[in-house]
Amino acid sequence: MTAPGSTETRWFRRHATAAEPRLRLVCLPHAGGAATFFHSWGGAFGDDVEVLAARYPGRQDRIADPFIDDMGALADAVTDALPPFLDRPIALFGHSMGASLAYEVALRLQDRHGVRPTALFVSGREAPHRVTPKDVHLRTDEQLAAEVRRLGGADAALLDDPDLRDLVLPAIRSDFKVAGTYRAPAALPVGCPVVGYVGDEDPNVGVTEMGRWSEVATGGFSLRVFPGGHFYLVSERATLIRDLSGRIGVASS
């Protein structure tokens, strides 16, 4: 198989397919995350599934762009960037903060563009109307870094280098404000199937809490539990990709 090329728009790193895509999978990173988190997903779903990884402002190649620290504004911006890609069926995957964002984007696609995603994949995050507000973004740099380390993942390692820490903490703080101040006012339904993923040792969300995404899933809900913590999707990448591949095949047929 020919490896797909990788191109960028302002809001998405686009992993183009060797053939015309039959479906696009939009991936929305966690708080403090970046499009590169999903780099290895490009081409992982075959020749005809194009991966679009969201490029949040204020980091990496968008380091000069101002942060967006409100969930509604961030969802508006992502949704506004998607119309050029809506000529194909679209599915959404979001991890942690990205799960809430994916839900909000799904609602906006339905309401504003008449587009119903083929599936909404949500990972490591409470249901939108049951999210517990948190004030981590108001804490000191040391306390914020401690929270990132508690959750694990690649971002935690960056904090061990003082220069990198000064570079990445502002984006992490902004995103923790997005996540910590968000709660959907009601269980507004999405009309597509919803699939929840969670690690069995996630310190932030348990299996029961993850299962409550069913309350917004009028198109059907299923739940998959993996071994691991909040960033189970790193160690369990291959299994997760296989699961997503099977569901995408069903959702887009």
Side-chain angles (χ1 to χ4, degrees), residues 37-38 41 93 95 123 230-237 240:
F37 184 78
F38 294 104
W41 289 35
F93 178 95
H95 178 62
S123 169
H230 192 60
F231 284 95
Y232 74 89
L233 67 175
V234 176
S235 60
E236 297 295 317
R237 173 192 173 277
L240 175 60

Side-chain angles (χ1 to χ4, degrees), residues 2-251:
T2 303
S6 182
T7 59
E8 293 181 3
T9 69
R10 182 166 175 259
W11 273 97
F12 300 107
R13 178 162 293 175
R14 182 181 183 186
H15 297 272
T17 54
E20 283 294 314
R22 64 173 172 85
L23 180 139
R24 293 187 169 103
L25 177 65
V26 179
C27 298
L28 302 164
H30 55 281
T36 50
F37 184 78
F38 294 104
H39 176 74
S40 68
W41 289 35
F45 302 97
D47 285 342
D48 60 354
V49 175
E50 184 172 275
V51 173
L52 301 176
R55 304 174 67 226
Y56 299 151
R59 68 213 72 192
Q60 295 189 337
D61 294 337
R62 296 191 65 190
I63 192 70
D65 292 348
F67 298 123
I68 297 177
D69 61 8
D70 173 77
M71 183 68 77
L74 186 57
D76 286 342
V78 172
T79 305
D80 288 347
L82 279 173
F85 304 105
L86 298 180
D87 60 328
R88 297 289 187 273
I90 198 164
L92 302 169
F93 178 95
H95 178 62
S96 198
M97 178 192 83
S100 296
L101 180 58
Y103 166 76
E104 290 292 333
V105 170
L107 291 178
R108 284 162 172 75
L109 285 174
Q110 293 174 163
D111 292 345
R112 300 178 185 180
H113 300 285
V115 171
R116 179 177 295 175
T118 62
L120 172 62
F121 302 109
V122 290
S123 169
R125 178 74 162 164
E126 298 155 299
H129 56 298
R130 293 182 176 271
V131 170
T132 303
K134 296 180 176 65
D135 66 352
V136 179
H137 62 286
L138 299 176
R139 300 178 190 175
T140 66
D141 284 354
E142 290 74 18
Q143 290 170 327
L144 180 59
E147 176 65 9
V148 175
R149 291 190 179 97
R150 183 181 74 89
L151 295 174
D155 302 320
L158 297 177
L159 300 177
D160 295 332
D161 183 313
D163 292 332
L164 287 177
R165 173 174 149 159
D166 290 343
L167 185 65
V168 302
L169 266 185
I172 292 173
R173 185 179 297 279
S174 176
D175 287 355
F176 269 70
K177 182 178 180 182
V178 173
T181 57
Y182 168 76
R183 182 169 183 163
L188 297 177
V190 290
C192 63
V194 178
V195 183
Y197 298 101
V198 68
D200 60 4
E201 296 181 0
D202 192 317
N204 269 18
V205 56
V207 174
T208 299
E209 288 80 12
M210 202 72 209
R212 289 182 174 139
W213 278 91
S214 63
E215 296 167 10
V216 299
T218 55
F221 176 76
S222 58
L223 177 65
R224 179 74 188 268
V225 181
F226 289 87
H230 192 60
F231 284 95
Y232 74 89
L233 67 175
V234 176
S235 60
E236 297 295 317
R237 173 192 173 277
T239 307
L240 175 60
I241 292 292
R242 282 196 300 271
D243 190 89
L244 285 167
S245 295
R247 297 180 191 276
I248 286 172
V250 171

